[in-house]
Amino acid sequence: MAPLPDADIQSFTEDNPDWNWSDGEIARTFEFEDFNEAMGFVTRIAMEAEKANHHPDIDIRWNKVTLTLSTHSEGGITDKDLDLATIAEGLV
């Protein structure tokens, strides 16, 4: 799987403005009511990531969860990253 062209990534971030694109990664911080809600989201995205065999970097800060996606083996953003980002959007 090859890294996506910049135009595809730009289109995704234009359609999903909460996602930031920088340095070969896309990232978004999700904010929840409390720690319990944040951890529930982490569990749900972990299950989806395992199914997809594609795992994000996850940073948890009380009620905030930041997902950072990049396909390290390909050296950039691939369809796997955009697919998992789309799944994450559906989990909140």
Side-chain angles (χ1 to χ4, degrees), residues 13 16 18 20 27 30 35 56-58 60-61 63-64 87:
T13 57
N16 298 276
D18 290 330
N20 300 305
F30 296 84
F35 182 76
D57 292 336
I58 302 173
I60 305 163
R61 307 285 174 129
N63 71 331
K64 294 182 178 92
I87 289 169

Side-chain angles (χ1 to χ4, degrees), residues 18-84:
D18 290 330
W19 286 88
N20 300 305
W21 170 33
S22 156
D23 297 325
E25 302 175 327
I26 57 170
R28 177 178 175 203
T29 299
F30 296 84
E31 188 169 346
F32 299 92
E33 184 176 324
D34 56 27
F35 182 76
N36 193 45
E37 292 292 323
M39 292 307 298
F41 172 75
V42 169
T43 299
R44 293 189 301 276
I45 195 64
M47 292 172 63
E48 293 296 330
E50 191 63 20
K51 280 193 250 181
N53 194 29
H54 190 61
H55 306 94
D57 292 336
I58 302 173
D59 181 51
I60 305 163
R61 307 285 174 129
W62 188 64
N63 71 331
K64 294 182 178 92
V65 177
T66 301
L67 299 182
T68 303
L69 296 163
S70 179
T71 305
H72 302 290
S73 63
E74 298 300 327
I77 299 166
T78 67
D79 283 326
K80 284 184 171 187
D81 301 302
L82 300 188
D83 291 347
L84 193 55

